[in-house]
Amino acid sequence: QVQLVESGGGLVQAGGSLRLSCAASGRILSWSVMAWFRQAPEKEREFVAHIRWGSGITYYLDSVKGRFTISRDTAKNTVYLQMTSLRPDDTATYYCAASNSDRYDYWGQGTQVSVSS
């Protein structure tokens, strides 16, 4: 079992920055993959970025490349999403997720990010 708790959301103006945190507890393994997803109102949830816990290798949604950075602190069991140059279409509830297999089995409760124009 893995428990995930997100924090760091809020309201920001376009062009601003926010850093989301995801504190993980439980069964985090060297092959675990930690990810951020987001869901805007009336839209499907979409993948944003992931990081491999052991290697630190990252992967991003094209529309956030160069603006968002995912990272992890293995000592704190925490994953971060640094978001810069935020746009109104980044407005969504952001979810942290963890995978120890071929799917994301563990999810946080979500944190709201709102970007005003």
Side-chain angles (χ1 to χ4, degrees), residues 10-74:
L11 174 63
V12 65
Q13 289 188 332
S17 300
L18 280 174
R19 188 177 80 157
L20 307 183
S21 299
C22 172
S25 59
R27 193 170 168 78
I28 303 297
L29 307 169
S30 61
W31 60 86
S32 295
V33 179
M34 306 294 290
W36 288 96
F37 287 76
R38 66 186 180 186
Q39 187 167 20
E42 301 182 357
K43 291 189 177 180
E44 292 189 356
R45 184 163 54 192
E46 68 174 352
F47 168 85
V48 175
H50 80 217
I51 186 165
R52 295 191 175 276
W53 192 257
S55 66
I57 293 174
T58 59
Y59 184 80
Y60 296 92
L61 175 70
D62 282 348
S63 63
V64 308
K65 283 180 182 176
R67 300 190 298 123
F68 291 9
T69 302
I70 189 170
S71 62
R72 88 269 194 249
D73 184 330
T74 56

